[in-house]
Amino acid sequence: MTLSKQLFALTERFGALISLSLVLLLWEVGVSLFNIPTYVLPPPSDVFAAATGIAFGQWFSHSAATLKVVLAGFFAATCVSIPLAVAISSSRMASSLIMPVLIAIKATPVVAVAPIIIVVLGTGDMPRVLITFLIAFFPIVVSATTGLALAPPELISLSKSLKASGWRELWDIRLPYAVPHIFSGLKVASTLVVTGAVVGEFVAAERGLGYLVLFSTSNFDVATAFVCLGLLVGFSLLLFSCVGTVQARLFPWSLPKDATG
Amino acid sequence: MSKAITFSKVTQSFERRGQTSIQALDDLSFEIGAREFVSVLGPSGCGKSTLLQLLSGLLMPSHGTISVNDQKVTGPRDDVGIVFQKPTLLPWFDVVGNVTFPIRHKGLSVTSEIQDRAQELLELVGLKEFSARRVDELSGGMQQRVSIARALLLDPDILLMDEPFSALDALTRDEMSFELLRIWSAKKKTVLFITHSIPEALLLSDRIIVMTPRPGRVMEEINCPFQRPRSQETLGDPRFAELSNHIRGSLLKDNANQPQ
Ligand SMILES: Nc1ncnc2c1ncn2[C@@H]1O[C@H](COP(=O)(O)OP(=O)(O)O)[C@@H](O)[C@H]1O
Ligand SMILES: [Mg+2]
């Protein structure tokens, strides 16, 4: 192998690492070169300092508060959306009754409703979980509904010719066929739930990473806000890859063939 | 000879919203004897799949009656097995899991007896070593063999096949025809085989029902005079070419008479 080929291979392998380091380097150099004040854009070194400036226990408690809402919202969205999709795909009438309501909810800017939700539901995690749910549930419903309609008509004929019940048809044929679509909906939702939890904390919270972003920026402590941002991105990516792992472990057949190797 | 399948004056039309209804089958009558291998041959759109749906009890005819083993068909029945154009296997089960699927789907448990039966059927279709494989590792022809084994699991008297080999490449298709003849000689079932291939129909059948399209009617019935077991040599029989030309001629003539 020639040297240039080796370089190519290395770049491919560590692509993300190389480009991220480059961005951090440019950022650090740029901030000091152009004398940008740290309350506008702190250099990465300041951000690292801010991360260690707050006790680990504090970071943990803020992260835990946000993650609790993220996971509860994700769980609620999954548990509501899939049965809803089953109901929608069960008949044209059910679909024409349910779909308009869902679209109306989807069309409502959740950020605008959030203060109302807080007023109605009061303090506690409930209102934030609801906001998270409202932001994340729609893609799961849509993709699951699409997936449930994808079972080949021959298999539905086979099911009918075996005199199987509607539930068995759903469980043995329609739901498994919908699995790849349900998971792509879950992947989209897994990133939306983090947004949802932060929106909830912006409106009302005493703890959490979204709350900390608001609090620290109001004190011109942008570096701490950047640390929160980094953590939120990290949680998003983690949840996203967890969904992928669950799919690969529980439903390996549902992945495209070349992806399973 | 007792009658396995009887169609008597069957008419089927489909209502379409805001449009004129489509008449798929018109006054269709024919009989099929027990353990007979009969092909229904016709161009696409002539109502062959509709005929199969009626026979399997998935659809009720607009007029006329259909009987299986001298009982009027009023719904799906266990003594009819179906093989579709595409294998439509379930990718989340292995090969043997697909063969035993009908039992589980009916809410029954897979006993060791059923397992043995599934293995036996896999051996019959030449897939004994593949029973634990994932179905997407199999070729199209092998997948269709699995779906034949699946259709035989409940030991139906009648096997309905809707253009089962038409999605396969030409070589596999010929191979599967001979495979089907071998399977049929081992498990003598009544077979209703739907196809739009003239040589396929001639090679496999005791009798061919030729249909005309729009609406589907029986144009003629043809007995296949070739001796069984059939082989490569059957294809070289001069009567094979003769009958093939005859059928092609009448289908073309009918097509010319159709209003376009
Ligand atoms: N469920 C249905 N609704 C309306 N029209 C149908 C339906 N099923 C079949 N048809 C029509 O009936 C005719 C025969 O169809 P089909 O039985 O599938 O033909 P073939 O299997 O011979 O190709 C076609 O014109 C088709 O459009
Ligand atoms: Mg058809």
Side-chain angles (χ1 to χ4, degrees):
Chain A
M1 219 198 289
T2 63
L3 188 68
S4 66
K5 266 191 184 163
Q6 271 175 336
L7 263 178
F8 263 128
L10 271 177
T11 319
E12 249 175 50
R13 184 115 188 243
F14 300 105
L17 203 68
I18 293 171
S19 54
L20 275 177
S21 319
L22 228 74
V23 168
L24 288 180
L25 192 72
L26 280 178
W27 179 0
E28 183 80 42
V29 172
V31 166
S32 65
L33 208 67
F34 297 108
N35 271 325
I36 300 173
T38 145
Y39 58 84
V40 175
L41 184 64
S45 52
D46 274 22
V47 177
F48 286 121
T52 48
I54 297 177
F56 177 75
Q58 283 296 308
W59 281 122
F60 184 82
S61 123
H62 284 296
S63 299
T66 303
L67 273 180
K68 200 163 94 184
V69 173
V70 164
L71 293 178
F74 192 48
F75 183 72
T78 309
C79 291
V80 172
S81 300
I82 294 172
L84 213 54
V86 168
I88 290 169
S89 54
S90 69
S91 75
R92 200 171 292 185
M93 192 179 79
S95 161
S96 64
L97 286 176
I98 301 171
M99 259 340 248
V101 180
L102 294 190
I103 291 169
I105 294 176
K106 180 62 196 162
T108 313
V110 177
V111 187
V113 192
I116 305 174
I117 291 173
I118 305 273
V119 169
V120 173
L121 289 183
T123 51
D125 283 335
M126 250 333 269
R128 287 190 290 279
V129 172
L130 181 61
I131 291 164
T132 307
F133 164 83
L134 286 176
I135 286 185
F137 83 101
F138 199 69
I140 311 178
V141 177
V142 171
S143 52
T145 307
T146 310
L148 284 168
L150 282 184
E154 289 95 343
L155 271 178
I156 302 302
S157 290
L158 178 69
S159 172
K160 299 239 184 309
S161 78
L162 292 169
K163 290 176 283 188
S165 68
W167 284 113
R168 287 221 74 104
E169 181 190 298
L170 179 69
W171 187 252
D172 287 350
I173 298 173
R174 284 190 194 275
L175 271 176
Y177 262 96
V179 160
H181 281 80
I182 291 175
F183 271 91
S184 52
L186 289 176
K187 279 180 181 163
V188 175
S190 73
T191 57
L192 289 177
V193 282
V194 175
T195 309
V198 170
V199 167
E201 289 175 4
F202 276 7
V203 180
E206 308 82 53
R207 267 185 323 140
L209 295 170
Y211 159 80
L212 199 56
V213 168
L214 267 194
F215 180 81
S216 55
T217 48
S218 67
N219 293 326
F220 299 101
D221 178 6
V222 182
T224 301
F226 266 104
V227 181
C228 297
L229 213 60
L231 284 171
L232 288 168
V233 170
F235 293 152
S236 265
L237 295 178
L238 195 68
L239 196 56
F240 184 88
S241 68
C242 279
V243 172
T245 309
V246 168
Q247 183 181 8
R249 282 281 158 79
L250 297 184
F251 310 101
W253 48 264
S254 71
L255 298 168
K257 239 191 263 171
D258 49 350
T260 56
Chain B
M1 193 158 53
S2 72
K3 294 297 167 220
I5 300 172
T6 314
F7 269 61
S8 124
K9 297 187 180 306
V10 172
T11 297
Q12 178 65 44
S13 40
F14 291 107
E15 303 302 326
R16 292 182 305 172
R17 245 191 245 188
Q19 288 173 36
T20 54
S21 65
I22 288 188
Q23 190 160 16
L25 297 175
D26 182 37
D27 198 28
L28 199 66
S29 300
F30 61 85
E31 288 179 334
I32 296 177
R35 284 180 277 289
E36 207 179 354
F37 194 127
V38 174
S39 287
V40 172
L41 177 73
S44 69
C46 73
K48 304 187 294 296
S49 297
T50 304
L51 185 154
L52 181 136
Q53 280 191 307
L54 288 166
L55 192 48
S56 52
L58 298 172
L59 195 67
M60 290 299 126
S62 311
H63 297 287
T65 50
I66 297 151
S67 308
V68 166
N69 293 334
D70 297 323
Q71 293 164 320
K72 191 178 169 199
V73 175
T74 54
R77 14 189 328 140
D78 282 343
D79 52 5
V80 174
I82 313 176
V83 177
F84 298 97
Q85 181 170 6
K86 283 183 251 141
T88 57
L89 302 178
L90 304 167
W92 47 92
F93 292 133
D94 58 8
V95 167
V96 71
N98 269 280
V99 177
T100 56
F101 175 73
I103 288 282
R104 263 170 297 147
H105 195 54
K106 285 171 87 66
L108 307 171
S109 58
V110 179
T111 56
S112 61
E113 198 181 325
I114 300 287
Q115 280 292 352
D116 291 347
R117 188 170 162 68
Q119 292 297 348
E120 200 180 292
L121 286 169
L122 281 175
E123 188 169 355
L124 175 71
V125 300
L127 290 178
K128 195 176 156 206
E129 297 84 42
F130 294 87
S131 74
R133 289 288 194 93
R134 277 175 61 155
V135 291
D136 53 10
E137 291 171 14
L138 305 186
S139 68
M142 289 160 105
Q143 291 191 11
Q144 199 54 288
R145 289 168 197 239
V146 176
S147 88
I148 292 172
R150 176 177 70 186
L152 292 173
L153 183 76
L154 297 173
D155 200 19
D157 292 337
I158 297 171
L159 195 57
L160 305 178
M161 308 181 87
D162 193 357
E163 308 191 19
F165 307 145
S166 63
L168 304 174
D169 63 81
L171 283 177
T172 314
R173 190 176 176 148
D174 289 349
E175 184 196 326
M176 287 299 288
S177 299
F178 288 110
E179 274 295 289
L180 180 61
L181 284 174
R182 187 180 60 72
I183 293 166
W184 182 65
S185 64
K187 305 251 168 203
K188 279 275 185 165
K189 307 277 180 198
T190 307
V191 179
L192 186 87
F193 188 92
I194 288 172
T195 180
H196 55 236
S197 157
I198 298 170
E200 197 173 62
L202 281 170
L203 177 65
L204 295 173
S205 324
D206 294 321
R207 196 148 55 88
I208 302 175
I209 297 172
V210 185
M211 282 181 68
T212 63
R214 278 173 276 272
R217 287 200 183 100
V218 177
M219 182 161 72
E220 70 183 309
E221 289 190 24
I222 288 166
N223 284 308
C224 302
F226 320 110
Q227 249 175 359
R228 291 190 191 272
R230 293 181 186 165
S231 63
Q232 207 68 40
E233 277 148 44
T234 313
L235 300 170
D237 190 315
R239 291 171 300 177
F240 195 94
E242 225 169 82
L243 279 173
S244 176
N245 282 335
H246 169 76
I247 297 172
R248 186 166 293 117
S250 27
L251 282 173
L252 283 175
K253 197 166 69 198
D254 181 78
N255 202 28
N257 292 338
Q258 284 276 320
Q260 285 302 320

